Amino acid sequence: MTTTTTATVTPSAGTAPAGPRASWAAVLALAGFEARRLLTRLPVLLAFAVYAGWTVWRTRTSFEGFPALQDADRATQTAPLLVGLAVLLSVNQAVLRSRRYDTGRHFAVLVLPPWHRTVAHLLSLVPAVLLVAVCVGGQFGWEALKPGAVGNGSPGELLAGPLSVLLLGTLGVLFARLFASAFAAPLLLVVLFSFSMFAAMPQDGDAIRWLMPVVGEYSTRTLPSELLGRPAAWHALYLAGLALSVALAAVLVSGEGAGARSGAGDGSGPGRVLRGRFVGNRGVHAGLVGAVALTLLGAVTQAGGVPAETEKARMRYSTTPQDLQKCSERDGTTYCAFPEWTPRTDDWAEVVDRVRSLAGDAVRDRPLVVRQRVEARYGLAGDAAMTPLTDPNQVSVGTTWGGNRVPEFAVAVAGVLVTGKEAEASVMCDGRLVTVMWLALAGGAEPMADLSRIRVDDSTSGAAIVISETEPLSMTAAHTELVRELLERPREEVGAKVTAHWAELTTPEVTTDRTAHLLGLDAPEEADECGE
């Protein structure tokens, strides 16, 4: 009789069955691998190269070196969409890789079920999103460090770019789990583009516009930060909730929890049943419900329109700016600015002093009030001109600066020095306009270039409209001819004649021909007829 002895072998720690820690370690390892592949995909590399190059090129000269940070934060939102589209396509191809190479059936012997692999692909989006966030922060920081920067940015606006990339990436994963075809992602891009075009069409369709990742505002006006009325924080919550909802939906359709088939989305053998040990249906379903609730909260709240308090503040800023401004006196001129713009009074003073130095002795020391004004009643989309001030010796200045705004402001100062009132200067169309334009432009570094900048047609000949923060001026062809000749002559020579004949040059009865005679010029050959 043979006796059989059975030995019991205790497995070592190194051969212990894989548990939750080992499984999630594998998820993180796969996520790291997929993240590296994602960042080195050609579409993503090209998108980041274009994004970085465009950002650097544009930020060098953006806002003419005088940014308002409440505008600069919105300027960071559109370019990341290019990266988001590249990430969507690339991560979609990464999830479908097993189908393209027919390796899905081998996943059945691996430790990771399909929904774990989906989580890994979702986590692989994080480095790309963080890299976009760094680019957004760098762009905004560059603007904030410019010497002429004013205002305040919004964290909600700055989050829109990175969150848009996250949302587009999760959509790529979800579509790969729902549709095995590689054409699903490009079709999704077409649908998103069509919807974005439709959402941008209605002027009052705020509820539709704010469903898009980025909501632009086409405005030539800069408003104080408290007057924007944009629900940036709620929109960021909406984007975060929507991205989380899409991510959890992708996990669910991948075979999350008990009873899911391992073949879902991977091409592995059908019929094999996974037992969800680490994340149950209840946990993911509860998370999806919570994410959808956050999305709805953000979507509903952001569509509420401009708050009543903001509307009232817009009215106050537009009609009674003096009640909200801080004023400081310098060399006979009082500068009144909104709190966010007080650092810019030095730039205004430089222009005022330059124009004063060329004026006649009778007005060179005249007290002036430079008052900042804004037309905010129509929001960011408004482009209505401000009404000229009727109070004596007051000059309007807007909320933007740099570039064309500098000679425009110089013209406004010169107009008040010559006529005494901004309202009178706005309707002036006699010989005084020649004196005003010379005072405004002669002291600049590039007088002829400034002459073209302040005219609607960018010309230095013929009749033209002169741009202004208030009502535009109208230059006849004769005015233009004389101003051009004066700017080509030595400043000291013309300045002496202006000072000597100041009283007659600034009388309302002076004609263009008489102005030419007083300043030592021939009568203009061009027509001297003011427009309607």
Side-chain angles (χ1 to χ4, degrees):
M1 183 174 180
T2 303
T3 302
T4 303
T5 304
T6 303
T8 302
V9 180
T10 302
S12 62
T15 60
R21 289 186 178 179
S23 181
W24 284 110
V27 169
L28 294 177
L30 179 59
F33 170 79
E34 293 293 350
R36 289 190 295 272
R37 286 184 64 97
L38 180 64
L39 290 176
T40 55
R41 293 277 299 177
L42 183 60
V44 176
L45 288 175
L46 288 177
F48 268 112
V50 173
Y51 172 37
W54 168 254
T55 300
V56 171
W57 176 262
R58 180 183 180 279
T59 309
R60 288 168 46 253
T61 57
S62 59
F63 302 102
E64 305 289 351
F66 294 89
L69 299 184
Q70 57 266 36
D71 292 341
D73 55 9
R74 298 199 309 276
T76 65
Q77 296 179 357
T78 304
L81 291 178
L82 176 63
V83 177
L85 297 178
V87 168
L88 185 156
L89 290 173
S90 298
V91 76
N92 183 269
Q93 292 179 351
V95 178
L96 295 176
R97 189 186 307 121
S98 60
R99 284 190 176 273
R100 292 199 307 275
Y101 296 109
D102 193 25
T103 58
R105 62 181 181 273
H106 300 298
F107 288 160
V109 300
L110 300 181
V111 68
L112 293 181
W115 71 273
H116 271 186
R117 292 193 288 276
T118 299
V119 172
H121 282 293
L122 292 169
L123 291 177
S124 72
L125 301 172
V126 174
V129 174
L130 292 179
L131 185 55
V132 170
V134 170
C135 293
V136 167
Q139 179 182 353
F140 183 76
W142 189 351
E143 299 285 11
L145 292 175
K146 289 180 179 178
V150 296
N152 299 283
S154 166
E157 300 283 10
L158 295 174
L159 286 172
L163 288 176
S164 298
V165 176
L166 178 62
L167 174 60
L168 291 172
T170 56
L171 283 172
V173 176
L174 176 61
F175 263 61
R177 290 310 190 191
L178 289 175
F179 308 103
S181 173
F183 295 101
L187 181 61
L188 173 62
L189 297 183
V190 174
V191 173
L192 290 176
F193 178 77
S194 301
F195 180 73
S196 65
M197 295 296 292
F198 169 75
M201 289 175 59
Q203 295 296 323
D204 300 321
D206 287 344
I208 298 178
R209 287 195 313 134
W210 285 98
L211 294 179
M212 298 303 299
V214 172
V215 182
E217 299 283 357
Y218 302 99
S219 174
T220 58
R221 299 287 183 183
T222 294
L223 301 184
S225 54
E226 65 176 293
L227 305 186
L228 296 184
R230 286 173 56 89
W234 292 113
H235 187 62
L237 178 64
Y238 160 74
L239 290 178
L242 185 58
L244 182 58
S245 300
V246 173
L248 292 175
V251 173
L252 283 177
V253 300
S254 300
E256 177 278 324
R261 292 183 300 173
S262 64
D266 290 292
S268 53
R272 176 173 173 150
V273 177
L274 284 176
R275 302 296 179 183
R277 280 186 282 175
F278 310 132
V279 180
N281 281 331
R282 292 182 180 178
V284 177
H285 284 152
L288 181 58
V289 170
V292 171
L294 288 178
T295 305
L296 292 176
L297 175 62
V300 172
T301 308
Q302 72 183 2
V306 179
E309 295 79 6
T310 303
E311 294 282 11
K312 294 178 181 178
R314 287 178 175 180
M315 179 64 71
R316 290 195 303 270
Y317 272 81
S318 301
T319 57
T320 57
Q322 63 275 10
D323 297 338
L324 304 164
Q325 294 176 337
K326 295 181 179 179
C327 298
S328 60
E329 193 274 335
R330 184 179 313 176
D331 297 331
T333 302
T334 302
Y335 300 91
C336 296
F338 297 121
E340 291 176 307
W341 275 267
T342 52
R344 196 161 285 175
T345 55
D346 292 340
D347 301 300
W348 302 340
E350 182 180 347
V351 176
V352 172
D353 294 342
R354 187 182 72 205
V355 176
R356 276 185 182 276
S357 67
L358 299 176
D361 296 335
V363 299
R364 189 169 296 170
D365 297 326
R366 176 189 292 175
L368 295 178
V369 176
V370 174
R371 187 171 301 284
Q372 189 175 35
R373 300 174 64 203
V374 64
E375 177 51 79
R377 286 172 288 187
Y378 309 103
L380 282 168
D383 59 355
M386 294 179 293
T387 304
L389 293 171
T390 57
D391 296 332
N393 303 322
Q394 290 205 17
V395 185
S396 298
V397 64
T399 52
T400 54
W401 192 249
N404 298 357
R405 305 292 85 78
V406 177
E408 288 172 18
F409 176 62
V411 170
V413 175
V416 172
L417 287 176
V418 169
T419 65
K421 291 184 180 180
E422 192 172 71
E424 183 176 347
S426 65
V427 297
M428 176 178 50
C429 192
D430 48 53
R432 293 177 296 173
L433 188 55
V434 175
T435 304
V436 168
M437 299 304 295
W438 182 83
L439 287 176
L441 305 177
E446 299 178 323
M448 293 301 294
D450 287 342
L451 176 62
S452 66
R453 291 189 185 108
I454 62 175
R455 292 156 63 98
V456 172
D457 59 356
D458 295 328
S459 69
T460 58
S461 62
I465 299 298
V466 178
I467 306 171
S468 172
E469 286 286 350
T470 57
E471 295 295 333
L473 301 176
S474 179
M475 289 184 69
T476 67
H479 293 147
T480 305
E481 179 184 340
L482 294 184
V483 170
R484 189 174 61 246
E485 290 183 23
L486 290 174
L487 293 178
E488 291 173 350
R489 294 193 173 192
R491 184 191 313 168
E492 294 75 13
E493 175 188 330
V494 178
K497 291 184 172 63
V498 169
T499 301
H501 302 286
W502 180 262
E504 191 172 357
L505 288 172
T506 57
T507 181
E509 290 76 23
V510 67
T511 64
T512 305
D513 288 347
R514 180 58 180 168
T515 299
H517 176 72
L518 293 173
L519 296 178
L521 303 176
D522 294 332
E525 297 178 358
E526 300 285 355
D528 186 21
E529 296 180 359
C530 291
E532 293 293 334

